[in-house]
Amino acid sequence: MKQLRILIILLAAAFGASGVLTSCIEDSISTSPSDQPAFSLEELDLGDLFTLGPSPTSRFTVYNRHDKGMLISSVRFVDDPDGYFRLNVDGVAGRDFSDIEIRAKDSIFVFVEATLPENGQDAPVEVTANIEFVVNGVASRIPVRANGQDVTRITGDYRIAASETLSATKPYQVMDSIVVDEGATLTIPAGARLYFHDSARMVVYGSLRVEGESGNHVTMTGDRSGFVAAQIPYEVMSGQWGGILFNPTSRANSISYASIRNSTYGLVLDNVPSADGQPALYLHNSVVRNAKEYLVSATNSDVTAIGCELADSGFGLLYLYGGNHTINRCTLANYYLFSAAMPALNLDHTGKGGEFDPDTEHPFLTADITNTIIYGNGKEISHWYFTGPEQTGVDNDIVGCQVFFRRCLFKPAGTDDDNYLNCLWDSDPEWNVDRNEYIFDYRPSPESPAATGADAALDPVPSAVACDLLGVPRPYGGAVGAYEPHTPDPAE
């Protein structure tokens, strides 16, 4: 009997403890008008959105910071009679919500999307609405705004069969591909903006002329905006679209003052010959950044790059197989986010003695690289060379090859020789890079050895480097790399 009494006492204590826990979990609901929710933001800005297309999903948090539960009697959009905006409250989609409970010291997420109508304007048109929350008879509002941008959508294989010039008045959204036929020329004027959908690309059998201007660049990038997750912006994501392919029938391509970003394979040149003294690709004062593979891959195709930022890629910045290349006043920087940084400059099919490969009859690679920064997390140069019939090797020894680095800045310590002339060894450009904060500012500081380190006598086209990539005039000599020095603003 004594054991039975002990068991009864223990069971009663257990049930009593359960009741205490239950009463702790169950919150009473506040009815006081002074108990109101708090929000993680005061206003939600969805940014510029292409009309007729769904926006990225944005979210914010609604907090109950009180000691009692909170009942939101109503959540809805007001001032949105046409239903341009959409809500998802605590995991449930809809337009009007009632009796949403938030327990004491807890919170819920609210997700917002929009599909805006065409507005018939070239410039973005602002559309606004308010999300209203009613708690204990008191209404709170979160303003929501978005800028609707009309676009010209290109679907299917859009073929350029003759010379054509795109418009700069409103953006293009390329859903599939732009194909420039053999013999045709596509001109992209200053201020034009091309946004490429997933896997979309440009294929050039004829000629491409990108004619941006200082302060009015041409933009070519992916069509996603907003954030991938949390605070990771799409702007740092590579592989959002294919890239630009130049085929063997292509001729005399030029790209000036352009920003080409976030592609898979960047710019690919496949056995594109030079013509009338012009290289396969002339790249001037442009940014090619953040490719999943190479930024520029050229096979037996001459490339001239002057005043360019070539930065951040998964396979390496440049892969040059054969061809005759001029790289002047460029910044080659690799701090790629999503894999270990590969060698910045990959040189293939160079010869140690002789001019032509006896097997392929293609000339060996030649390159003159001047007043250029080659820097980053990975190795600077990977060099494949031809040593004899059916023999290749790889090392960093370019002695005997027609590859020259003149007044270039490198991270490692080194010494000049017949191929490295008057270089800045063991030097730091002192630019503003913080991968954790997604800051990639490749302008050198005024204290950097790059700031006044250039040799103007090495510039093959002095007029092409009169201003840097951002339009800052260069003094005689000036900075090594694509940019003149910059003092960061504490607010940046």
Side-chain angles (χ1 to χ4, degrees):
M1 290 295 293
K2 183 176 181 181
Q3 291 178 339
L4 180 58
R5 285 197 302 271
I6 293 173
L7 179 60
I8 292 172
I9 293 170
L10 290 174
L11 288 173
F15 280 115
S18 175
V20 170
L21 290 174
T22 302
S23 65
C24 290
I25 294 173
E26 292 178 353
D27 297 317
S28 59
I29 302 297
S30 171
T31 58
S32 171
S34 63
D35 288 346
Q36 293 297 310
F39 303 97
S40 60
L41 45 74
E42 295 181 356
E43 178 181 276
L44 178 60
D45 188 351
L46 301 182
D48 290 344
L49 307 178
F50 295 153
T51 57
L52 302 183
S55 73
T57 300
S58 297
R59 81 174 191 188
F60 62 94
T61 308
V62 183
Y63 299 98
N64 175 12
R65 303 195 188 281
H66 305 287
D67 294 327
K68 291 185 178 182
M70 175 180 293
L71 189 67
I72 305 177
S73 57
S74 173
V75 181
R76 65 189 181 98
F77 265 109
V78 295
D79 312 321
D80 182 32
D82 297 306
Y84 299 149
F85 297 93
R86 298 182 296 279
L87 278 174
N88 182 302
V89 178
D90 205 24
V92 178
R95 285 192 55 80
D96 294 280
F97 300 84
S98 59
D99 298 334
I100 304 296
E101 183 178 348
I102 309 179
R103 297 178 63 185
K105 308 296 185 182
D106 206 345
S107 62
I108 60 172
F109 289 123
V110 174
F111 300 87
V112 181
E113 295 178 338
T115 300
L116 304 183
E118 287 186 317
N119 51 55
Q121 304 295 316
D122 292 333
V125 173
E126 185 178 76
V127 180
T128 62
N130 288 276
I131 307 174
E132 183 181 73
F133 298 81
V134 180
V135 176
N136 297 331
V138 178
S140 302
R141 290 188 173 185
I142 296 294
V144 180
R145 65 181 68 251
N147 295 317
Q149 172 67 69
D150 281 1
V151 295
T152 299
R153 284 188 173 82
I154 294 176
T155 59
D157 287 344
Y158 181 74
R159 304 198 76 88
I160 309 296
S163 294
E164 182 174 331
T165 300
L166 298 184
S167 171
T169 56
K170 60 184 179 182
Y172 292 84
Q173 186 180 26
V174 183
M175 306 304 294
D176 296 291
S177 62
I178 296 176
V179 180
V180 184
D181 286 344
E182 183 177 354
T185 298
L186 172 62
T187 300
I188 303 178
R193 293 157 289 165
L194 282 72
Y195 297 93
F196 291 81
H197 199 57
D198 183 38
S199 300
R201 61 181 185 165
M202 182 181 291
V203 182
V204 182
Y205 295 95
S207 297
L208 174 66
R209 306 287 175 83
V210 178
E211 299 180 345
E213 299 171 349
S214 180
N216 195 20
H217 289 203
V218 169
T219 297
M220 304 172 75
T221 187
D223 66 354
R224 293 182 174 182
S225 60
F227 295 87
V228 182
Q231 295 303 308
I232 303 174
Y234 269 109
E235 179 57 35
V236 304
M237 299 299 294
S238 63
Q240 293 186 44
W241 60 290
I244 305 176
L245 304 177
F246 299 91
N247 287 277
T249 57
S250 180
R251 298 289 185 276
N253 302 284
S254 63
I255 299 174
S256 292
Y257 288 103
S259 178
I260 303 171
R261 311 188 304 274
N262 306 329
S263 67
T264 296
Y265 42 76
L267 312 179
V268 178
L269 296 97
D270 177 17
N271 290 282
V272 179
S274 296
D276 300 326
Q278 298 183 65
L281 175 63
Y282 175 69
L283 192 62
H284 175 232
N285 276 18
S286 293
V287 173
V288 186
R289 179 187 280 195
N290 199 32
K292 192 172 184 179
E293 297 178 8
Y294 292 108
L295 294 175
V296 179
S297 175
T299 301
N300 298 317
S301 306
D302 299 349
V303 174
T304 294
I306 298 178
C308 296
E309 176 195 309
L310 307 172
D312 306 326
S313 61
F315 285 11
L317 305 179
L318 282 80
Y319 174 79
L320 306 176
Y321 179 100
N324 181 21
H325 308 285
T326 298
I327 299 173
N328 172 238
R329 299 274 188 163
C330 288
T331 293
L332 277 60
N334 203 3
Y335 290 86
Y336 187 65
L337 282 170
F338 304 107
S339 65
M342 301 298 287
L345 183 59
N346 298 267
L347 306 175
D348 200 346
H349 203 234
T350 60
K352 296 199 173 189
E355 183 179 354
F356 288 88
D357 181 342
D359 292 337
T360 66
E361 298 185 356
H362 286 299
F364 289 125
L365 179 147
T366 63
D368 197 20
I369 303 164
T370 56
N371 289 329
T372 288
I373 298 173
I374 306 176
Y375 207 87
N377 286 342
K379 191 166 69 170
E380 285 71 26
I381 302 166
S382 175
H383 166 230
W384 290 83
Y385 61 92
F386 179 89
T387 59
E390 300 180 357
Q391 297 181 51
T392 59
V394 59
D395 66 8
N396 279 330
D397 176 14
I398 58 174
V399 173
C401 299
Q402 296 302 302
V403 178
F404 301 97
F405 296 88
R406 310 175 198 269
R407 201 54 178 169
C408 292
L409 184 149
F410 297 100
K411 178 191 288 187
T415 56
D416 290 345
D417 57 25
D418 290 343
N419 296 89
Y420 295 88
L421 297 101
N422 196 26
C423 289
L424 298 167
W425 300 99
D426 191 19
S427 296
D428 188 343
E430 299 180 18
W431 45 39
N432 184 21
V433 174
D434 187 335
R435 296 169 81 236
N436 293 327
E437 297 296 328
Y438 312 122
I439 297 172
F440 303 93
D441 183 348
Y442 294 118
R443 293 172 291 180
S445 79
E447 292 75 30
S448 165
T452 57
D455 181 352
L458 299 174
D459 296 328
V461 186
S463 61
V465 297
C467 293
D468 75 358
L469 200 157
L470 294 178
V472 178
R474 289 189 189 272
Y476 185 80
V480 176
Y483 301 100
E484 286 301 299
H486 168 71
T487 301
D489 187 324
E492 290 181 349

